[in-house]
Amino acid sequence: MDNLPLKLIDQFGRQVDYIRLSITDRCDFRCVYCMAEDMTFLPRDEVLSLEECARLIKVFVRLGVTKVRITGGEPLVRKNALWLFKEIGNLTGLNELVLTTNGSQLNTQAQALKNAGVKRINISIDSLKPEKFKQITRTGRLEKVLDGLQASIHAGFEGIKMNTVLMRGHNDDETTDLVQFAIDNKIDISFIEEMPLGEVDHTRESTFVSNADTLKLLQSKYLLAPSTHNSGGPARYWQVSGTQTKIGFISPHSHNFCESCNRVRITCKGELYLCLGQEDKVDLMPLLRENPNDDGPLIQAILDSMRIKPKGHDFDLRRAEPAVVRFMSHTGG
Ligand code: SAM
Ligand code: SF4
């Protein structure tokens, strides 16, 4: 342990320098692709405290992680979430603190998050029609999210991106409108293919929209130039010519992005998942709780975990059962 700095390099030579940490499994929305209508959430004491989250992030940054994404569930519904952002926002070695949110709390929190050191935010917006938005999120109010988006634009983040999951028969008629909205607001947009995570109330195959088809549609409406932009994530980007907007495509089905995978995920229970689509994991919570004043065992377990990071996921839409039983809100999107 004395010879730090150490790096996280897996058995395939990939360096892990990006973590996504889910700070809660709870959410004020119940998006149809993400959750079942009836969800049971974890009891409080089975969830990492914010102090434990901060400790974990500091350890990962010591191990060469330069980018941290805070996610959930809905991270901003966690009480005192802002404390965590302030605690880690200016850590030496952490180049990028970023956030994925449904936007419902941004109208009041955007400026404070920016001040705490959050560089970029992703806001999930699947529809621009209030009724449809309500139908997809089950509980969400579009107006509030759009207010949050405007507050974020005003706060001056380095980047704002909409995340959209297109579902056949639900919102796939809004593809161009969503892109035009991003262009009008001078922000980016990414289309995420629906992934078979957790049991929801429809079959994934029935709603699946491939990013290849979405790209084809958008190419018929806009002049798109392949972009060299690399966000450090799996998205492939296209620049909409004559605008400030990039369109990203996150395509776990049609484009396998595992080869260059540089990330791991940590659930709100402190489970370190080495791959979003596989079950390989290490439980960090006991190590945190049994060694309150010694990071050594934690560091060793994280270093050892690199040996079990799998080569890649193997999502298959035709399988009746979900690829993994945990929901995206549990693992953290
Ligand atoms: N609540 C926040 C939000 O909605 O942005 C953060 C957590 S959410 C799990 C992160 C991202 O995962 C969102 O953009 C959401 O659209 C996406 N997502 C959730 N379930 C998904 C699924 N089954 N397939 C693809 N994307 C999913
Ligand atoms: Fe909540 Fe985000 Fe999942 Fe929607 S996608 S239910 S907002 S965690």
Side-chain angles (χ1 to χ4, degrees):
M1 263 358 105
D2 294 340
N3 301 330
L4 292 173
L6 295 161
K7 282 186 179 164
L8 297 175
I9 306 213
D10 77 0
Q11 54 178 331
F12 304 103
R14 299 170 298 190
Q15 181 177 353
V16 170
D17 56 10
Y18 176 11
I19 58 169
R20 302 168 77 109
L21 172 64
S22 167
I23 62 169
T24 179
D25 61 334
R26 288 166 199 254
C27 187
D28 49 343
F29 292 2
R30 296 283 184 278
C31 302
V32 292
Y33 51 77
C34 179
M35 293 192 179
E37 188 147 22
D38 255 337
M39 293 287 289
T40 314
F41 296 110
L42 292 165
R44 297 263 175 232
D45 62 342
E46 285 183 29
V47 172
L48 294 175
S49 68
L50 290 176
E51 289 76 9
E52 287 167 335
C53 291
R55 185 176 160 206
L56 261 185
I57 290 168
K58 287 174 189 173
V59 161
F60 272 99
V61 171
R62 275 180 76 191
L63 292 171
V65 163
T66 57
K67 177 171 174 180
V68 173
R69 178 174 299 282
I70 302 295
T71 181
E74 175 45 40
L76 301 184
V77 300
R78 172 112 193 222
K79 209 169 148 211
N80 266 337
L82 196 57
W83 175 88
L84 177 66
F85 289 96
K86 287 184 182 159
E87 184 69 17
I88 57 171
N90 291 310
L91 274 185
T92 308
L94 176 58
N95 299 336
E96 270 200 286
L97 175 59
V98 296
L99 164 70
T100 301
T101 172
N102 66 21
S104 69
Q105 313 299 312
L106 284 174
N107 54 348
T108 56
Q109 297 193 28
Q111 191 64 58
L113 289 162
K114 167 73 174 65
N115 296 347
V118 174
K119 292 251 168 64
R120 296 186 289 116
I121 53 175
N122 291 351
I123 308 176
S124 298
I125 301 178
D126 297 318
S127 173
L128 295 167
K129 299 177 186 165
E131 275 312 303
K132 180 60 71 178
F133 187 86
K134 181 73 177 260
Q135 192 191 327
I136 293 175
T137 59
R138 291 198 185 100
T139 59
R141 269 188 47 228
L142 176 64
E143 198 189 344
K144 202 168 172 208
V145 172
L146 295 184
D147 283 351
L149 170 63
Q150 290 311 320
S152 307
I153 292 172
H154 185 72
F157 290 98
E158 281 176 25
I160 300 177
K161 187 172 74 164
M162 287 160 62
N163 272 346
T164 299
V165 177
L166 288 177
M167 299 176 74
R168 198 183 332 144
H170 291 253
N171 60 347
D172 57 337
D173 58 334
E174 290 190 66
T175 311
T176 319
D177 292 347
L178 286 156
V179 168
Q180 192 56 47
F181 178 81
I183 292 171
D184 294 344
N185 283 283
K186 301 185 171 63
I187 61 176
D188 296 327
I189 179 166
S190 272
F191 291 100
I192 310 176
E193 281 180 347
E194 188 177 351
M195 293 176 239
L197 301 169
E199 189 110 26
V200 291
D201 301 331
H202 61 275
T203 62
R204 303 288 187 177
E205 206 181 357
S206 66
T207 50
F208 184 69
V209 177
S210 111
N211 270 345
D213 290 344
T214 304
L215 174 60
K216 224 181 280 166
L217 171 74
L218 291 171
Q219 279 174 324
S220 71
K221 309 266 179 191
Y222 297 99
L223 195 56
L224 302 183
S227 162
T228 50
H229 174 78
N230 181 352
S231 66
R236 287 181 165 180
Y237 286 95
W238 298 74
Q239 183 75 41
V240 187
S241 299
T243 77
Q244 296 180 26
T245 295
K246 284 186 288 301
I247 306 177
F249 293 95
I250 301 173
S251 317
H253 301 284
S254 40
H255 161 55
N256 192 311
F257 47 63
C258 305
E259 233 166 73
S260 56
C261 181
N262 62 340
R263 83 261 328 268
V264 292
R265 292 176 157 80
I266 307 161
T267 70
C268 55
K269 283 172 79 172
E271 299 153 315
L272 172 64
Y273 275 102
L274 284 312
C275 170
L276 177 65
Q278 304 279 6
E279 303 289 0
D280 311 74
K281 66 161 178 168
V282 177
D283 273 323
L284 300 179
M285 188 186 269
L287 296 166
L288 278 161
R289 297 199 171 164
E290 286 160 21
N291 305 284
N293 302 312
D294 178 10
D295 288 340
L298 192 60
I299 290 175
Q300 194 57 56
I302 296 168
L303 287 169
D304 291 347
S305 74
M306 288 298 107
R307 286 205 294 267
I308 59 163
K309 185 169 165 58
K311 195 161 185 200
H313 64 69
D314 58 353
F315 292 142
D316 181 355
L317 285 173
R318 286 154 306 188
R319 255 201 320 233
E321 74 279 10
V324 292
V325 288
R326 58 187 193 277
F327 289 96
M328 185 80 133
S329 56
H330 178 82
T331 320

